[in-house]
């Protein structure tokens, strides 16, 4: 079971309906991916970097692409 399926199952078990799960899941996944970026860089992100990471995740870049860009 991957992370997305696990979170989806946990939300359903907690009593959230399909509409709530469907609207919350993408945001939860972006939050987890943003944390993956922070962990990969090994440091906290500035406010400007956090905004940049959120935007990059929303347009569909993956974590490794964002990390490579921030390491330049």
């Amino acid at each position: 079971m991957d992370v997305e399926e696990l979170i989806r199952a946990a939300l359903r078990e907690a009593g959230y309906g399909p509409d709530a799960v469907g609207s919350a899941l993408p945001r939860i996944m972006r939050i987890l991916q943003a944390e993956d970026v922070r962990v990969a860089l090994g440091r906290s992100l500035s406010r400007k970097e956090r905004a940049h990471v959120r935007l990059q995740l929303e347009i569909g870049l993956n974590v490794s692409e964002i990390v490579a860009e921030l390491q330049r």
Side-chain angles (χ1 to χ4, degrees), residues 38 41-46 49-50:
R38 187 197 64 77
L41 288 174
R43 62 177 174 81
S44 296
L45 301 176
S46 69
E49 287 173 324
R50 286 193 308 268

Side-chain angles (χ1 to χ4, degrees), residues 31-72:
I31 289 167
L32 292 173
Q33 290 169 331
E35 184 64 13
D36 288 345
V37 170
R38 187 197 64 77
V39 169
L41 288 174
R43 62 177 174 81
S44 296
L45 301 176
S46 69
R47 182 180 300 165
K48 184 176 178 180
E49 287 173 324
R50 286 193 308 268
H52 177 74
V53 167
R54 274 194 302 273
L55 177 64
Q56 297 300 331
L57 289 170
E58 286 179 17
I59 64 171
L61 290 179
N62 64 40
V63 171
S64 61
E65 292 171 321
I66 297 168
V67 169
E69 181 181 322
L70 289 172
Q71 288 178 334
R72 287 188 230 165

